[in-house]
Amino acid sequence: MLQKLTISNYALIDNLEITFGKGLNILTGETGAGKSIILGALSLILGQRAESRYFFNQQKKCVIEGSFIIGNFHLKQFFEENDLDYETETVLRREIAADGKSRAFVNDTPVNLNALKALGEKLIDIHSQHATLEINDPDFQLLVVDAVAGHDELLSDYRSKFRSYKKTTSKLQQLITESDKAKADLDYYQFQFDELEKANLAADEQELLEQELFALNNAGEIKRNLLAAYYLMHEGEASAIIQLHEAGHQLSSLEKFNPAVAELHQRLSSTIIELKDIAAEIENIEQRTQINEARAEEINTRLSLVYNLQKKHRVNSNAELLALQDELSDKIQQAVFGDEAIEKLKLQLQADKKDLEQLASTLSANRKKVIPGIETQVLQSLGEMGMGNAAMKIELLESKGEEILTINGADEVKFLFNANKGHALAEMSKVASGGELSRLMLSIKSIIAQNTALPTIIFDEIDTGVSGEVANKVGQIMEKLADNLQVITITHLPQIASKGQSHYFVYKDDEGATTYTRIKQLDKQERILEIAKMLSGDKPGESALQNARELLAY
């Protein structure tokens, strides 16, 4: 439900705020007062293109904001899919700068126009006399039948299984393609796999071999430096350890004179022990360091194999080569055993398709059952609106194409119509005028609204071409439609205007050299006067006022 609409700096509107009510909302006003301007502004938050030349003030940005109550429309999944915060009172906002740049928001989260339009279509349905595309849309026609059939749970179950079926079908096609390719390339894959398996690679092997080779290539220098260090620390006549031993003797002779020297002597003795341990480790490493040309050659040969394999397969490490080896193993397994997996998936698809066909058959039976009732209701409603000679037929056809099953089942629906007696039935847009299509759409929407939650419907002067009792019937149908959803209608007919629960008057206001579009909600007395003016002109007499009271049932 559209709760509030705020318009700033658009066409003849500087600032405007409208709070709509439940049920039937009526907009009236003289031609050119700005009723269509309000709809134009509303269309901007429904994702329509904007042009800055329509701004009230070319130096300021245009801002349109709509607040919607959406708790009954099952839109949580849409919000999740578009990464939006779901709120039962959701705000759509559109800002258009003077240079034409546009920004859109849903609950203060920026969105692109496609997302705004997709959400807007779920919240507002604007229907004008010339809006015939929807009524001729096969998906909309099927929606009408499904709404009356009332099998939402069955249809949801079918669609969920159909999507799963299509995913499995895609998986099968991919598996067949991969299996065929694997078979064609089996010898090549086997050769590459055997080569890698024979190499017997280890993930950390390259780094360890490179470190060992570096040590072997520098073994002479390593041994020289280690021997020199050992000599300086332990073996030379003036080695560090001998010098420190002598220093220890000197300190021990002083302990009797100063107790603090004893502690220093102890620390020095500990240092000598540590240095002896270090010298022993140096000697040990030196002895283990060997000049081994045979081992260096062996490592070079092994690294050459590793480098060549990495270059051949365009990778940088043994870990990547091992991952490739696993991948080749999978491809070989797929080539050898792929047919088994394919046959298993085919059997699953056969079972899934059989299940879908049973569900589709039930959907078809449900649809077939309700079609006569829809035809009767539409024709009865059209008769009340002055189209007693209209004829309508709903055809339930089997889906065409290679795949009979679609996301909606196995059916296609076609609405055929003619407004005139004795003429052949055809697609609605080819045999009905704008006014006739509007009344037809009103009849159909009233049927849908009895069975499912619809977005707010806005009728833009669809009452053109009707008057008198027919206009009264149109108003009654709108009134009945508004029992189940919010209806906003722009009208020039008092019979329809009198049926509204809320009545808004759109008018022009001249202030100085500037004309503004204004709107106000009429109270009881203002409604009587406005309806009377619609009946007899700007200066209604007492009879017109009384007639207005009767229409309003005041």
Side-chain angles (χ1 to χ4, degrees), residues 317-329:
S317 68
N318 274 14
E320 290 176 282
L321 284 174
L322 289 168
L324 175 61
Q325 184 177 335
D326 290 339
E327 183 182 333
L328 289 168
S329 177

Side-chain angles (χ1 to χ4, degrees), residues 382-387 435-436 439 461-476 491-497 499 534-535 551:
L382 290 175
E384 293 173 356
M385 291 188 288
M387 295 174 63
E436 290 167 341
R439 280 176 273 174
E461 299 186 9
I462 70 161
D463 50 29
T464 302
V466 300
S467 60
E469 184 56 27
V470 172
N472 187 53
K473 291 292 185 181
V474 170
Q476 289 174 352
T491 183
H492 292 288
L493 297 179
Q495 297 93 330
I496 293 176
K499 300 293 190 293
M534 295 174 75
L535 286 166
L551 284 173

Side-chain angles (χ1 to χ4, degrees), residues 11-16 29-35 37 56 505-520:
L12 299 180
I13 299 172
D14 55 347
N15 285 290
L16 195 67
E30 293 182 1
T31 300
K35 300 184 294 297
I37 291 174
F56 182 87
F505 180 65
V506 183
Y507 61 99
K508 286 182 178 179
D509 184 16
D510 296 326
E511 293 183 10
T514 306
T515 299
Y516 299 85
T517 287
R518 307 290 193 201
I519 188 169
K520 68 175 181 177

Side-chain angles (χ1 to χ4, degrees), residues 227-295:
L227 284 169
Y230 181 77
Y231 179 82
L232 290 170
M233 288 181 68
H234 195 272
E235 284 195 345
E237 292 181 1
S239 68
I241 292 174
I242 291 174
Q243 294 292 329
L244 290 174
H245 269 301
E246 182 60 32
H249 290 311
Q250 298 297 328
L251 289 175
S252 66
S253 66
L254 298 175
E255 289 180 3
K256 59 188 176 183
F257 302 112
N258 188 340
V261 173
E263 182 182 351
L264 292 174
H265 185 211
Q266 181 62 37
R267 290 171 61 187
L268 181 60
S269 297
S270 297
T271 301
I272 292 170
I273 293 171
E274 178 66 17
L275 286 175
K276 285 181 177 180
D277 186 59
I278 292 172
E281 283 294 319
I282 290 174
E283 183 181 29
N284 187 34
I285 294 172
E286 185 276 329
Q287 290 176 355
R288 291 203 312 266
T289 302
Q290 300 294 327
I291 299 174
N292 189 339
E293 294 182 0
R295 176 58 181 164

Side-chain angles (χ1 to χ4, degrees), residues 135-136 140-141 143-145 147-148 374 377-378 381-382 385 392 394 415 417 428 437-451 454 457 477 481:
I135 202 169
N136 288 297
F140 173 75
Q141 294 177 358
L143 169 67
V144 175
V145 176
V148 178
I374 298 172
Q377 282 183 269
V378 170
S381 177
L382 290 175
M385 291 188 288
M392 179 184 181
I394 300 175
F415 283 23
F417 179 77
M428 299 178 192
L437 282 171
S438 296
R439 280 176 273 174
L440 180 57
M441 178 61 87
L442 178 57
S443 299
I444 291 172
K445 288 286 176 73
S446 64
I447 293 172
I448 300 175
Q450 296 171 25
N451 298 277
L454 283 178
I457 295 181
I477 291 174
L481 179 61

Side-chain angles (χ1 to χ4, degrees), residues 152-358:
D152 289 353
E153 189 174 334
L154 174 65
L155 185 57
S156 177
D157 183 35
Y158 171 85
R159 285 174 172 167
S160 176
K161 290 180 178 178
F162 180 79
R163 293 187 186 98
S164 177
Y165 173 78
K166 296 302 287 185
K167 284 183 180 179
T168 305
T169 301
S170 297
K171 183 179 178 181
L172 175 62
Q173 292 303 319
Q174 181 182 355
L175 201 60
I176 291 173
T177 300
E178 291 174 353
S179 178
D180 289 345
K181 188 176 187 308
K183 288 176 182 177
D185 297 334
L186 177 59
D187 290 342
Y188 176 66
Y189 293 151
Q190 189 68 58
F191 173 79
Q192 288 187 314
F193 176 81
D194 291 344
E195 185 179 43
L196 291 172
E197 186 178 45
K198 183 180 178 181
N200 195 26
L201 302 168
D204 59 350
E205 177 184 13
Q206 179 182 345
E207 183 179 350
L208 294 174
L209 287 175
E210 287 173 342
Q211 289 175 354
E212 185 181 354
L213 181 63
F214 183 77
L216 285 169
N217 287 339
N218 295 276
E221 182 180 354
I222 293 169
K223 286 180 75 67
R224 283 193 301 274
N225 289 341
L226 288 172
L227 284 169
Y230 181 77
Y231 179 82
L232 290 170
M233 288 181 68
H234 195 272
E235 284 195 345
E237 292 181 1
S239 68
I241 292 174
I242 291 174
Q243 294 292 329
L244 290 174
H245 269 301
E246 182 60 32
H249 290 311
Q250 298 297 328
L251 289 175
S252 66
S253 66
L254 298 175
E255 289 180 3
K256 59 188 176 183
F257 302 112
N258 188 340
V261 173
E263 182 182 351
L264 292 174
H265 185 211
Q266 181 62 37
R267 290 171 61 187
L268 181 60
S269 297
S270 297
T271 301
I272 292 170
I273 293 171
E274 178 66 17
L275 286 175
K276 285 181 177 180
D277 186 59
I278 292 172
E281 283 294 319
I282 290 174
E283 183 181 29
N284 187 34
I285 294 172
E286 185 276 329
Q287 290 176 355
R288 291 203 312 266
T289 302
Q290 300 294 327
I291 299 174
N292 189 339
E293 294 182 0
R295 176 58 181 164
E297 181 63 28
E298 181 184 337
I299 293 174
N300 271 317
T301 301
R302 180 63 176 173
L303 284 174
S304 178
L305 172 65
V306 170
Y307 295 151
N308 287 335
L309 286 172
Q310 290 176 3
K311 183 178 180 181
K312 176 179 179 179
H313 295 288
R314 298 180 182 179
V315 297
N316 299 308
S317 68
N318 274 14
E320 290 176 282
L321 284 174
L322 289 168
L324 175 61
Q325 184 177 335
D326 290 339
E327 183 182 333
L328 289 168
S329 177
D330 290 342
K331 289 180 177 179
I332 292 168
Q333 292 296 312
Q334 190 174 41
V336 175
F337 302 107
D339 289 344
E340 294 180 14
I342 289 171
E343 288 304 314
K344 184 178 179 181
L345 212 54
K346 284 181 177 179
L347 290 174
Q348 180 186 332
L349 276 174
Q350 288 175 5
D352 291 347
K353 186 174 184 180
K354 186 176 181 180
D355 189 20
L356 282 173
E357 287 171 344
Q358 290 175 345

Side-chain angles (χ1 to χ4, degrees), residues 110-128:
V111 297
N112 59 41
L113 279 187
N114 288 334
L116 186 71
K117 186 175 182 181
L119 179 57
E121 288 174 350
K122 298 177 185 297
L123 301 177
I124 294 281
D125 179 8
I126 298 180
H127 187 76
S128 67

